[in-house]
Amino acid sequence: MKQWLLIIDGGATKTACAVVHAESGDIEYSISAKGSNYQAIGVESATAILQELLANVETFLQKYPNSQIAVATFALAGIDSPKDHAIVVAIVQNALQTTQLQIDTLIIENDAEATLLGVTAGQAGALLIAGTGAIAYAFDGQRIVRVGGWGHRAGDEGSGYWLGQEVVRAIFKMEDGRGKPTILKEAVYQSLGIQDVTELAEWLFRPSYTNAQLAKMGSFVAKAVEQKDACAIEISQQAAHELAILANAVLKKINYQNTPFNLYCNGGAIKHNPLILKIFTEEITFMYPQVDIILCQHQPITYLIERTKRAYDCL
C-alpha cells in the first residue's frame, strides 16, 4: 500500500498544499489557494478554502486506489490560544467530512510553530517570521515558547502589514505638511491607480480592501531605501528595531545563556529589505554574540514537509 503525507500551510495571504510520497519525501502533487486565517476571513470562508484544496487532493489520490494518507499536517495561521485551536480543529474536521480521505495521523498546529520544528529539525533553535504579520518561536529542546503574532490591530510590529501602515501614514503626513517628502507616494499611487490622498483614504475603507493589500505597500520600502529616501530609511530602521525586540524577548523566554544557537528568519519583510536585515543582525549580534542568524532559503511548506516526514518516521 502506497503511503502519503499531506501538508497544508495556511497563512494570512496564501494557503499551500502538497501531497508527498511518505518514503521518498518527493512532492507528487501541489496546489495553492488564497489565505485561510479564519481570524481574518471568518470560519465559513476558511472552511471553504480547505474544502476546495482537499477536493483536489482527493481527485489526485484517485489515481492510486491502493493508498492512504499516513500523516496529515494542517499548519494554519490564527491558532493563538486553546480556543483558537478548538475552532481550527472544527474547521479542519468539517472540511474533511466533505471528502472520503482517510488519514491515520492528523496534526493541527500553528503554522509558525510547525515551521520551527521543521527548520530546526527538532533541535533547539528559534524562528522569527516577518511576513504579513510578525511572530517569534523558540525551542529549547523541551518546550516551545512564543512572542508576538498578536494581529495587525494592536501588534505585528516590523511585519509587512506594519510596514504598509507606516508607508500610508508617511504619505498622509507628507500631504498634510506634517512629514518629510517621500517617493513612496508615487509607488503607492501607481500601484492603486489613484491620483490623490483622498482616494488613498477612500481605498482603505473599500469593501474589497484586505490586509494583504496593505502589506504589499510595505514591499515598496526596500526599493525606496535603495534610492536613499529618508522616510523609507527611518521606517526600515524602526522595523528592524521592533523585530530585534521580538527576537530578544523570545530568547529570554527560554532563558538563553549565550551559547551557540541558531535563530532562523523568514518572511518578506526581513528577507527582501537588506537594511532591515542588516540593522536587525547588528542589534541581535551585539546582545547575543553566539547567536547565528540564518535566513530560511526555502518556502515554509518545505520545512513543514520535513516536520511531517519526521512524524511519519516515528510511527
Side-chain angles (χ1 to χ4, degrees):
M1 178 177 290
K2 183 167 284 193
Q3 301 279 329
W4 299 99
L5 308 177
L6 170 63
I7 298 91
I8 292 184
D9 175 23
T13 305
K14 174 185 174 183
T15 302
C17 172
V19 178
V20 176
H21 190 280
E23 296 299 332
S24 68
D26 294 334
I27 298 175
E28 300 290 343
Y29 176 76
S30 63
I31 191 172
S32 64
K34 58 186 178 181
S36 55
N37 184 340
Y38 90 92
Q39 293 186 9
I41 64 174
V43 169
E44 186 175 331
S45 294
T47 304
I49 289 170
L50 294 185
Q51 285 175 339
E52 179 183 351
L53 291 172
L54 292 171
N56 282 281
V57 169
E58 189 170 32
T59 299
F60 166 75
L61 290 179
Q62 285 173 355
K63 297 186 293 185
Y64 305 92
N66 190 29
S67 64
Q68 66 178 6
I69 298 174
V71 182
T73 297
F74 286 76
L76 304 175
I79 303 178
D80 299 321
S81 68
K83 180 181 177 182
D84 289 326
H85 188 266
I87 292 171
V88 172
V89 166
I91 289 172
V92 171
Q93 290 176 340
N94 288 336
L96 285 170
Q97 285 174 2
T98 64
T99 75
Q100 299 297 316
L101 295 173
Q102 298 297 315
I103 298 172
D104 287 350
T105 300
L106 178 62
I107 299 170
I108 302 172
E109 56 195 2
N110 177 280
D111 58 336
E113 181 177 339
T115 303
L116 168 69
L117 294 175
V119 74
T120 62
Q123 303 300 309
L127 171 67
L128 180 142
I129 300 176
T132 303
I135 193 169
Y137 275 88
F139 180 52
D140 63 4
Q142 295 183 322
R143 64 191 179 106
I144 295 174
V145 299
R146 163 199 164 159
V147 170
W150 300 118
H152 65 282
R153 293 186 179 180
D156 285 344
E157 297 88 347
S159 69
Y161 181 89
W162 182 89
L163 288 170
Q165 280 185 315
E166 293 301 305
V167 167
V168 172
R169 287 193 183 109
I171 294 170
F172 285 140
K173 288 181 178 180
M174 170 188 169
E175 295 284 29
D176 282 345
R178 296 181 291 131
K180 299 175 182 177
T182 175
I183 61 175
L184 290 167
K185 169 187 167 181
E186 285 71 29
V188 170
Y189 283 16
Q190 182 177 355
S191 174
L192 296 177
I194 60 176
Q195 301 297 321
D196 58 49
V197 70
T198 58
E199 288 184 274
L200 177 60
E202 290 169 0
W203 171 77
L204 289 169
F205 294 95
R206 288 178 185 171
S208 59
Y209 164 88
T210 65
N211 293 342
Q213 289 173 329
L214 187 60
K216 180 183 176 182
M217 304 302 151
S219 67
F220 301 143
V221 175
K223 188 170 184 179
V225 168
E226 291 177 2
Q227 299 178 52
K228 310 299 182 185
D229 183 85
C231 187
I233 291 171
E234 287 182 7
I235 291 172
S236 297
Q237 290 170 333
Q238 184 60 32
H241 183 61
E242 293 289 354
L243 294 175
I245 291 172
L246 193 67
N248 180 38
V250 83
L251 291 173
K252 284 184 175 180
K253 272 199 170 185
I254 58 168
N255 299 313
Y256 169 70
Q257 297 297 321
N258 202 30
T259 56
F261 191 85
N262 290 337
L263 168 59
Y264 297 89
C265 296
N266 208 0
I270 193 166
K271 290 180 70 174
H272 301 150
N273 187 318
L275 181 58
I276 292 178
L277 177 61
K278 176 178 179 293
I279 296 173
F280 172 81
T281 301
E282 290 172 349
E283 291 197 20
I284 294 300
T285 302
F286 178 78
M287 290 185 284
Y288 303 109
Q290 294 205 63
V291 168
D292 189 12
I293 297 172
I294 303 170
L295 281 183
C296 295
Q297 299 301 317
H298 304 289
Q299 292 296 318
I301 199 164
T302 301
Y303 303 112
L304 298 178
I305 290 171
E306 293 176 6
R307 185 262 185 278
T308 307
K309 183 71 165 62
R310 279 200 308 278
Y312 170 75
D313 292 340
C314 291
L315 292 177

